[in-house]
């Protein structure tokens, strides 16, 4: 064993490696992305690692490998689980042979997600056992244990950290390479009574799964990561994950110690341990994020065992119903529950007004140019601009204001069709990134062609998956095993499904782009525009722009495109050299030609 | 007792690297380290922060209100934003260079970095306040990416990193950066003379 400073996600990945994982598949999504990347970085070639086209594909690839006796890991963020839920729900009935861990990172807040859904609830629904780590160290060790449980009970298991566990760093004690487990899969063994799902199998296995989960509830009551830490009062705190860590920090050193129930397996719930804990308390406060999973379980157990312990938490409005639990939140909840005094803090009224900093498209981002070209081309027309998931969701910000809707991965293409069905004279556009196109917008394109929609599908092709940190995808040809294959051509895909009008446009040549957008959008039927320009983070900046003396201070550049590289200093528009990458969009907007590329750098 | 440090700034300024360097220096000395970073959408021009906790008794990576020994601010308004974390008598090292959000430019409501630094100067209960003219510093050091080392060096030279010394930081830096950048980074770490 030795210690390394690592991110929670790295600890999870190295736990899987130490457990002898053979195959890892996933789709990028904050806060889960670094798990797969860490395995790929560490990989000596003995582990098969892929970014799949989406989470459903990842789940199915991993299932096939797990059928074959391989230890597998699937990685995604919580909303990705919705995409993968179809194979997952059935997979639980079929089961696995090799250990299969489904890593789903939840995002309380949410900090970078659409929803505050809780994978613990999904675990209950899908009947899949769930592990919930509270620190990077625990995540590392628990990952190894998760594989053992998965294999022993022939079931996939969830591993569900939250953002603050995923993105926390800690000095983690990890195994040396010679201590790693080696798993040698025997390969797929044909047995249609086991691997082919039919009503008869589902009926038989359903009952077996329910019984197994009851058994697991007992087993988990003795699992050391679920813990009943005895205090010196009749008050208890039940918590999980980062909320548990915060709670321990809050009660550290205090004379009055509440009893603590740490829940590391929210499903199946460690019922026997919980009964013991509940009997030691008159009152219990549940501190958890997202759904009141622990709170509901404890309330249910109190009823089942006729215990008169009072359960408090989200359902009694003692804990906030949404958002993440900060250190201060947890301290406030516990202090109020325990009747502890808290030092009053008076707000300083002399604090100067602070700027708000909403996230924005980077300086030089080609999406800004693409949005602006469409906006100019459609001036004065009745339009709908359906957005999608990726950096380009930020096209909603002023002054672009080019995202009217955003729902989930790939939805925009279909949303635009729906809007058009109700008001046919609306010019319907959808904007989708290249990675998202492959992940889940192709079906939308097929739907549009099949049902003869009047719509323009705009693909913002920046040759990468930018928002999550530049992962490759089918359009780049690069894989996580380091191979370079033929790129899958977006235009060929669109033409292949019957889109007859496909225009490739360079968004940074503004006048030409505006003209082509107008022409394309006015053609009948399904049209596609592919704006091709690489992500500004992917290449070395050209010479930055600079504002010349002939600037008339009309500020049109700032008002029209809102690039962070254009700032006002001493009441004048100037270019921030440290941000500008010389894309030149602003120079094409300036009415007097005052913005030019600077001389050398 | 743990040493608690908040590093803050605007996405892309290099707070994460600075935080990792202090952590590496602490690990080399055998200390337990925990930290937390902002990753994801907020990185794109939003406010970002790193919490860094050094010592056995830190049970969670996050710092609570009034617990930070030191704030290292890469942008003056972000430093002010993080003030609630600072404990009484805590120290502040901050850049004076304002980074304007797009919203400020749009509304024509740009603020001055000096409004922020003047406010910091007016505060009582601050153990030490170091305001660094990072624009000049970066120019003299010769790299626009050196701000994190300049600020970190100011903190370590002032002895504000608990048990982590200035030499520890230099050692850790040498191990982290490519050889051709070592000399420039030493210049940056040594820049602020207190």
């Amino acid at each position: 064993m030795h210690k390394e400073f690592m991110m929670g996600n790295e600890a999870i990945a190295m736990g899987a490696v130490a457990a002898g994982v053979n195959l890892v598949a996933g789709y990028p999504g904050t806060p889960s992305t670094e798990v797969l990347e860490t395995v790929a970085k560490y990989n000596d070639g003995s582990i098969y690692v892929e970014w799949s086209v989406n989470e459903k594909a990842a789940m199915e690839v991993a299932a096939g490998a797990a059928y074959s006796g391989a230890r597998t890991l699937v990685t995604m963020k919580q909303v990705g689980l919705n995409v993968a839920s179809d194979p997952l729900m059935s997979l639980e009935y079929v089961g696995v042979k090799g250990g299969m861990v489904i890593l789903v990172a939840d995002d309380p807040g949410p900090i970078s997600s659409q929803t505050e859904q809780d994978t613990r609830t999904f675990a209950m629904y899908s009947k899949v056992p769930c592990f919930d780590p509270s620190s990077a160290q625990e995540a590392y060790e628990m990952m190894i244990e998760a594989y053992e449980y998965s294999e022993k009970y022939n079931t996939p298991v969830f591993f569900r950290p939250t953002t603050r566990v995923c993105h926390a760093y800690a000095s983690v004690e990890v195994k040396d390479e010679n201590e790693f487990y080696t798993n040698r899969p025997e390969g797929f063994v044909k047995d249609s009574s086991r691997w082919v799902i039919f009503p008869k199998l589902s009926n038989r296995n359903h009952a077996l799964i329910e019984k197994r989960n009851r058994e697991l509830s007992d087993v988990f009551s003795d699992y050391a990561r679920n813990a009943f830490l005895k205090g010196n009062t009749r008050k208890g705190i039940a918590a999980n994950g980062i909320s548990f860590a915060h709670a321990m920090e809050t009660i550290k050193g205090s004379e009055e110690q509440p009893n603590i129930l740490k829940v590391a397996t929210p499903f199946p719930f460690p019922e026997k341990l919980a009964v013991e804990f509940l009997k030691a308390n008159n009152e219990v406060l549940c501190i958890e994020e997202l759904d009141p999973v622990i709170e509901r379980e404890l309330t249910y157990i109190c009823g089942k065992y006729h215990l008169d312990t009072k359960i408090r938490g989200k359902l009694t409005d003692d804990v906030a119903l949404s958002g993440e639990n900060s250190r201060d939140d947890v301290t406030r909840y516990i202090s109020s529950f325990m009747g502890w005094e808290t030092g009053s803090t008076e707000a300083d009224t002399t604090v100067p007004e602070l700027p708000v900093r909403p996230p924005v498209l980077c300086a030089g981002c080609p999406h800004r140019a693409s949005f602006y070209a469409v906006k100019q081309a459609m001036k004065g027309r009745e339009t709908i601009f359906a957005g999608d998931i990726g950096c380009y969701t930020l096209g909603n910000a002023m002054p672009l204001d080019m995202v009217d809707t955003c729902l989930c991965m790939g939805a925009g293409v279909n949303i635009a069709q729906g809007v058009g069905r109700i008001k046919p004279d609306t010019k319907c556009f959808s904007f989708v990134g290249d990675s998202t196109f492959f992940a889940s917008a192709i079906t939308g394109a097929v739907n549009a062609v099949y049902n003869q929609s009047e719509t323009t599908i705009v693909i913002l092709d920046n040759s990468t998956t930018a928002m999550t940190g530049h992962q490759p995808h089918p359009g780049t040809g690069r894989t996580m095993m380091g191979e370079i294959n033929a790129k899958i051509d977006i235009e060929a895909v669109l033409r292949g499904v019957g889109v007859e009008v496909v225009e490739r446009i360079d968004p940074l040549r503004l006048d030409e782009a505006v003209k082509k957008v107008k022409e394309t959008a006015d053609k009948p039927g399904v049209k596609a525009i592919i704006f091709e320009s690489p992500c500004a983070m992917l290449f070395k900046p050209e010479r930055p722009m600079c504002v010349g003396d002939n600037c008339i201070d009309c500020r049109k550049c700032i008002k029209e495109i809102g690039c962070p590289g254009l700032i006002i200093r001493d009441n004048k528009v100037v270019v921030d050299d440290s941000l500008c990458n010389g894309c030149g969009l602003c120079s094409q907007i300036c009415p007097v030609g005052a913005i030019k590329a600077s001389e050398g750098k | 007792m743990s040493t608690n440090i908040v590093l803050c700034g605007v996405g892309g300024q290099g707070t994460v690297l600075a935080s990792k360097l202090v952590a590496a220096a602490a690990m080399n000395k055998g200390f337990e380290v925990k930290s937390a970073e902002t990753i994801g959408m907020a990185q794109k021009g939003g406010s970002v922060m790193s919490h860094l906790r050094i010592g056995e008794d830190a049970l969670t990576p996050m710092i609570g209100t009034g617990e930070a020994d030191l704030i290292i601010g890469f942008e003056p308004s972000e430093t002010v934003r993080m003030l609630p974390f600072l404990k009484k008598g805590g120290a502040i090292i901050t850049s004076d260079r304002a980074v304007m959000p797009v919203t400020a430019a749009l509304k024509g409501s740009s603020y001055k970095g000096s409004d922020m630094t003047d406010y910091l100067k007016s505060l009582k209960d601050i153990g030490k306040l170091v305001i660094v003219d990072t624009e000049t510093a970066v120019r003299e050091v010769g790299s626009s990416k050196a701000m994190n080392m300049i600020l970190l060096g100011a903190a370590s030279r002032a002895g504000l990193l608990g048990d982590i010394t200035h030499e520890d930081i230099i050692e850790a830096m040498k191990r982290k950066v490519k050889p051709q950048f070592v000399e420039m980074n030493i210049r940056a770490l040594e820049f602020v003379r207190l």
Side-chain angles (χ1 to χ4, degrees), chain A residues 242-555:
Chain A
I242 199 71
S243 301
F244 164 78
H246 289 351
M248 295 308 283
E249 183 85 37
T250 298
I251 65 167
K252 185 172 75 183
S254 74
E255 216 164 274
E256 256 189 326
Q257 285 287 315
N259 299 302
I260 302 283
L261 179 68
K262 170 175 177 277
V263 180
T265 58
F267 182 80
F269 200 79
E271 191 171 300
K272 283 186 177 158
L273 183 70
V275 169
E276 203 187 315
F277 167 76
L278 288 168
K279 283 181 177 167
N281 295 294
N282 299 332
E283 212 176 356
V284 167
L285 178 68
C286 302
I287 307 181
E288 55 194 320
E289 294 164 320
L290 308 175
D291 291 345
V293 171
I294 299 173
E295 189 180 354
R296 285 204 178 106
E297 285 286 352
L298 293 183
T299 306
Y300 157 76
I301 293 168
C302 280
K304 183 172 169 184
Y305 292 85
H306 303 289
L307 305 173
D308 62 359
T309 312
K310 190 170 166 36
I311 309 298
R312 289 163 58 172
K314 286 173 182 273
L315 300 173
T316 54
D317 283 326
D318 289 289
V319 170
L321 295 172
S322 66
E324 62 170 335
N325 288 335
S326 70
R327 277 285 308 286
D328 294 339
D329 293 334
V330 170
T331 300
R332 205 176 59 247
Y333 298 148
I334 294 179
S335 301
S336 152
F337 175 67
M338 297 298 289
W340 293 344
E341 268 185 40
T342 46
S344 62
T345 44
E346 279 167 45
D348 183 350
T349 51
T350 63
V351 185
E353 194 187 335
L354 296 174
V356 282
R357 294 189 194 275
V360 288
L361 293 171
C362 302
C365 173
H367 298 336
R368 178 176 290 105
S370 303
F371 280 127
Y372 189 68
V374 177
K375 187 175 185 175
Q376 290 303 103
M378 288 297 114
K379 236 181 192 168
R381 308 279 291 268
E382 182 87 1
T383 53
I384 160 89
F385 301 122
D388 222 295
I389 306 290
C391 289
Y392 47 95
T393 316
L394 299 174
N396 77 318
M398 297 303 277
L400 286 174
D401 189 20
M402 282 296 286
V403 175
D404 296 327
T405 69
C406 180
L407 187 67
C408 68
M409 289 281 287
V413 180
N414 295 315
I415 298 260
Q417 294 169 44
V419 170
R421 293 292 173 204
I422 301 308
K423 215 169 169 212
D425 52 352
T426 305
K427 279 279 162 203
C428 300
F429 285 78
S430 52
F431 293 87
V432 62
D434 41 352
S435 183
T436 306
F437 174 77
F438 288 111
S440 53
I442 295 174
T443 46
V446 176
N447 193 66
V449 173
Y450 168 52
N451 290 302
Q452 307 205 342
S453 286
E454 282 293 332
T455 193
T456 306
I457 303 169
V458 181
I459 290 110
L460 303 166
D461 182 3
N462 62 358
S463 308
T464 189
T465 316
M467 180 59 105
T468 47
H470 301 106
Q471 290 73 27
H473 62 67
T476 69
R478 283 178 295 121
T479 74
M480 283 312 262
M481 295 302 283
E483 295 155 345
I484 298 175
N485 303 320
K487 297 175 184 179
I488 299 178
D489 181 22
I490 296 174
E491 179 176 349
V493 172
L494 289 164
R495 291 198 187 279
V497 301
V499 181
E500 284 169 9
V501 179
V502 184
E503 278 291 338
R504 291 178 184 245
I505 302 179
D506 176 355
L508 294 174
R509 297 170 71 170
L510 184 62
D511 290 342
E512 199 182 314
V514 172
K515 188 168 153 268
K516 277 191 177 172
V517 171
K518 267 189 201 156
E519 286 168 9
T520 311
D522 282 333
K523 288 180 181 162
V526 182
K527 292 83 61 177
I529 292 168
I530 307 173
F531 280 116
E532 291 176 308
S533 190
C535 173
M537 311 281 279
L538 287 184
F539 59 93
K540 284 215 164 147
E542 290 174 30
R543 288 177 301 165
M545 309 306 287
C546 67
V547 183
D549 294 339
N550 56 332
C551 168
I552 54 169
D553 200 31
C554 67
R555 303 198 178 177

Side-chain angles (χ1 to χ4, degrees), chain A residues 127-142:
Chain A
K127 310 181 195 304
V128 174
C130 182
F131 294 83
D132 185 359
S134 65
S135 69
Q137 180 71 52
E138 185 172 60
Y140 179 80
E141 294 163 18
M142 207 188 242

